[in-house]
Amino acid sequence: MAARPEGTPVWTDAMFTDVEGAKTFYGDVLGWTFGESSTEFGNYTQAYKNGKAVAAVVPPMPGQDGEPQSAWCLYFSSPDVSATAEKIRGAGGTVLMEPMQVGEFGSMCIAREPSGAVFGVWQPGTHEGFELEGESGSYVWAEVFTREPAKADDFFSSVFGYRSKTMQDGEMDYRVFDLGADPVLGRMVMTEEFPPEVPSYIQVYFAVDNCDKAVEAAERLDGRKVFGPMDSPFGRFAAILDPQGAAFAVIDVKTTVGEVPEMV
């Protein structure tokens, strides 16, 4: 697999106090199976769809204080994670976990952009990232949800060299970042509908065959529907909180309706 351009989303994982519960939930909702946990790397456990790596789940690190908040973390590709960490600092971001080597798999760091969204950076080694994308049960899209769009826009463009366009829609402030021809990330402004205690975050979308059935499966396993299901020009989608509080979205990309709004 050719190396993905810098700034391309390449991986996602989440920390769960109840890893077995997370495996049951996502196995049912997204059809994932799971590999053996890697004791050498904190019982990191990869998820697979049709035998291809799509995500991972991991328990809290030993000695971590308090009850950690479960959340999906999106990782962006970098040819040099240390250099990217310096660019993050220079653009006003905060490096929460310094660059570190993860065996032969690659190198990583965790950071927070100026408006508050946490993300990861991944410099691939033998683990190059998603083995399946855009198909049922795999990563398909992500959006930065923020109350301070100017800060987020400037940051991501500065660090990863994104170009961006604004959607021509009077009802919402939505921007799409790209690395040339292909869009790689969206940005949505958080409205008063979001409780004030909810910080900026990056919402990861997973493709499903049927959005409504995925929501029903999530609710059956004590997940909670936050928004939708509803149709959009990009497909029928819904936002969900899993039983441990991790937010994600599902979208049936086969149900695309109408024309995609123009970007300016």
Side-chain angles (χ1 to χ4, degrees), residues 23-255:
K23 290 164 67 173
T24 297
F25 178 84
Y26 288 97
D28 196 3
V29 175
L30 297 178
W32 289 352
T33 57
F34 294 86
E36 294 293 324
S37 60
S38 175
T39 55
E40 182 181 356
F41 299 104
N43 291 314
Y44 199 82
T45 306
Q46 287 202 144
Y48 296 87
K49 180 70 175 185
N50 299 329
K52 296 183 178 181
V54 291
V57 296
V58 62
M61 292 180 288
Q64 188 164 345
D65 295 332
E67 186 80 7
Q69 175 64 48
S70 294
W72 284 98
C73 180
L74 183 68
Y75 293 78
F76 297 93
S77 180
S78 168
D80 185 335
V81 68
S82 295
T84 300
E86 289 307 308
K87 288 198 290 185
I88 288 168
R89 292 188 179 95
T94 303
V95 177
L96 303 175
M97 180 185 291
E98 293 292 334
M100 62 176 287
Q101 183 81 23
V102 187
E104 63 180 10
F105 300 107
S107 300
M108 62 169 285
C109 75
I110 302 293
R112 182 172 55 230
E113 51 87 22
S115 79
V118 174
F119 64 96
V121 177
W122 182 251
Q123 179 182 339
T126 59
H127 191 297
E128 297 179 344
F130 298 121
E131 294 178 347
L132 184 70
E133 293 180 66
E135 298 182 26
S136 181
S138 68
Y139 170 85
V140 68
W141 185 242
E143 291 167 344
V144 180
F145 278 73
T146 177
R147 294 181 179 85
E148 300 177 285
K151 285 185 177 181
D153 293 352
D154 290 346
F155 174 84
F156 283 104
S157 296
S158 175
V159 173
F160 294 118
Y162 294 150
R163 301 183 311 179
S164 65
K165 296 179 181 179
T166 300
M167 181 181 291
Q168 284 189 316
D169 187 329
E171 296 182 0
M172 63 179 177
D173 183 343
Y174 191 86
R175 184 169 287 264
V176 173
F177 299 99
D178 67 72
L179 286 167
D182 298 322
V184 294
L185 184 68
R187 189 271 291 147
M188 175 77 79
V189 174
M190 299 169 74
T191 65
E192 62 276 2
E193 296 175 357
F194 287 82
E197 65 272 15
V198 176
S200 298
Y201 67 101
I202 296 179
Q203 180 154 275
V204 173
Y205 285 71
F206 297 109
V208 292
D209 289 325
N210 185 298
C211 176
D212 296 76
K213 289 184 177 180
V215 170
E216 290 172 6
E219 292 180 325
R220 186 173 63 249
L221 292 171
D222 297 324
R224 181 166 66 88
K225 177 180 65 179
V226 178
F227 184 81
M230 71 169 291
D231 293 325
S232 80
F234 307 99
R236 188 165 176 81
F237 75 100
I240 297 170
L241 280 178
D242 75 18
Q244 299 183 62
F248 68 102
V250 292
I251 184 167
D252 178 356
V253 293
K254 299 175 183 177
T255 62

